[in-house]
Amino acid sequence: MVREARAFWIRSPGSGEIRDEVLPEPGPGEVLVRTLCTGVSRGTEAVVFRGGVPPNQHAVMRAPFQDGTFPGPVKYGYLNVGVVEDGPSGLLGRPVFCLYPHQTRYVVPASAVCPVPDDVPPERAVLAGTVETAVNALWDAAPLIGDRIAVVGAGMVGCSVAGVLAGFPGCRVQLVDTDPSREGVARAFGVEFVLPEQADGGCDLVIHASATEAGLARSLELLAPDGEVVELSWYGDRRVAVPLGEFFHSRRLTVRSSQVGAVPPARRSRRGFADRLALALRLLADPAFDVLITGESGFAELPRIMPRLASGELPALCHRITY
């Protein structure tokens, strides 16, 4: 039986279209998944959509099930929740999360899907890939009980980090952003929201996720001596100035990158990608994460919606696509 699907492709920078796909028959150890919803990760997908992936990062930035090459045509995305229609009996009929692009149906190895826990609605589980990034960042950052922490940048990733940090005992957590409307997200998670000029200094740790020079500079200003900025922003092909003068050396500050493509060394021998994703899905049992879904559109609207999301004309944290 020939199975067909439809997928969203970036035809060229700034332009997308929906294409027909022919699916292979699932083989042993594979599953056929019917997509329920996907999420647009606005930060990274906006860079990809506008063709901003530097040539020397084309291999590194490949999504697990990407088709095509940068800058296009390319099928890109990694926040997909669906239901297994064909495959091993233990997965049949189960909702699962997969790092798959925007496509109506797909066939992948069974090991590539992670069952969604019973207490997590599939509509919320679409956030798993971003919460997984937050988990990885906090494995890198290793916050301690009672730490003074700022999260600078209340986009999808920064808000996810704040949501996970909200459960750390004794910590002072501030979510810092120039957009006052993000206060509602902070309130939902039970953390404080402040504008950059109002943020408290003396931080042991700052997580930076604003993808702006000003945000990175403010992150360094907020640190106590011997403090650390964990940099989660991805700037694509943009060059960014880092203020390494003034107090950078006298306070012995550190700027360290974190990227979800590798499990941090402190966990690498004991945790794999599947463990990390399963943890992210368990954390999504908290209904407070629903605040990160800020819009919804049907799959057929993606070619029209993606340019607006990428340009910022349509403000969003996670924009959910329904099928």
Side-chain angles (χ1 to χ4, degrees):
M1 180 176 65
V2 176
R3 288 190 173 99
E4 295 183 346
R6 303 175 74 215
F8 175 74
W9 283 73
I10 300 169
R11 181 174 57 234
S12 58
S15 176
E17 64 185 3
I18 291 176
R19 297 183 178 183
D20 293 331
E21 307 263 342
V22 176
L23 301 182
E25 282 292 316
E30 292 185 324
V31 291
L32 169 67
V33 179
R34 174 174 55 84
T35 301
L36 299 174
C37 54
T38 56
V40 177
S41 177
R42 189 172 153 262
T44 301
E45 288 199 56
V47 173
V48 172
F49 187 74
R50 68 174 177 82
V53 181
N56 64 3
Q57 294 297 298
H58 282 189
V60 174
M61 287 306 300
R62 283 191 65 85
F65 294 101
Q66 171 182 324
D67 275 344
T69 57
F70 303 118
V74 62
K75 181 173 70 176
Y76 192 87
Y78 46 81
L79 300 175
N80 188 304
V81 175
V83 62
V84 176
E85 291 191 324
D86 193 354
S89 58
L91 290 172
L92 202 58
R94 291 287 305 273
V96 293
F97 178 88
C98 184
L99 297 167
Y100 205 88
H102 308 281
Q103 184 165 312
T104 56
R105 278 183 170 83
Y106 54 93
V107 175
V108 294
S111 59
V113 302
C114 187
V116 175
D118 292 340
D119 57 351
V120 178
E123 296 81 6
R124 188 188 306 150
V126 78
L127 297 166
T130 308
V131 174
E132 182 184 11
T133 299
V135 168
N136 207 64
L138 294 175
W139 280 353
D140 267 321
L144 300 175
I145 291 174
D147 271 359
R148 292 161 294 185
I149 305 171
V151 180
V152 177
M156 189 176 172
V157 171
C159 288
S160 295
V161 172
V164 176
L165 275 173
F168 273 63
C171 288
R172 183 198 77 191
V173 180
Q174 290 188 321
L175 182 60
V176 183
D177 200 88
T178 58
D179 182 357
S181 71
R182 294 290 190 251
E183 184 175 2
V185 178
R187 191 183 309 116
F189 286 130
V191 301
E192 184 183 3
F193 174 85
V194 291
L195 298 172
E197 62 272 17
Q198 299 170 338
D200 292 333
C203 291
D204 304 290
L205 172 67
V206 176
I207 310 292
H208 179 235
S210 81
T212 66
E213 287 187 6
L216 179 54
R218 186 60 178 142
S219 296
L220 287 167
E221 291 171 353
L222 294 176
L223 286 176
D226 298 305
E228 180 176 81
V229 171
V230 173
E231 176 61 277
L232 282 182
S233 303
W234 190 60
Y235 300 91
D237 56 1
R238 288 185 291 140
R239 290 188 176 272
V240 178
V242 184
L244 300 182
E246 300 177 337
F247 48 77
F248 181 79
H249 285 85
S250 61
R251 292 189 193 171
R252 298 177 59 84
L253 304 182
T254 300
V255 179
R256 184 152 60 96
S257 69
S258 178
Q259 208 278 336
V260 74
V263 174
R267 294 288 185 276
R268 200 169 295 166
S269 65
R270 303 185 301 278
R271 302 287 192 280
F273 294 121
D275 300 306
R276 191 179 63 186
L277 180 56
L279 171 58
L281 282 163
R282 292 199 301 275
L283 291 170
L284 283 169
D286 183 352
F289 282 97
D290 285 335
V291 74
L292 301 185
I293 307 292
T294 53
E296 187 173 272
S297 301
F299 172 69
E301 299 177 75
L302 254 178
R304 181 178 60 83
I305 290 294
M306 191 66 83
R308 299 179 63 206
L309 289 169
S311 68
E313 177 194 342
L314 184 62
L317 290 172
C318 179
H319 194 86
R320 186 166 55 206
I321 305 302
T322 57
Y323 290 72

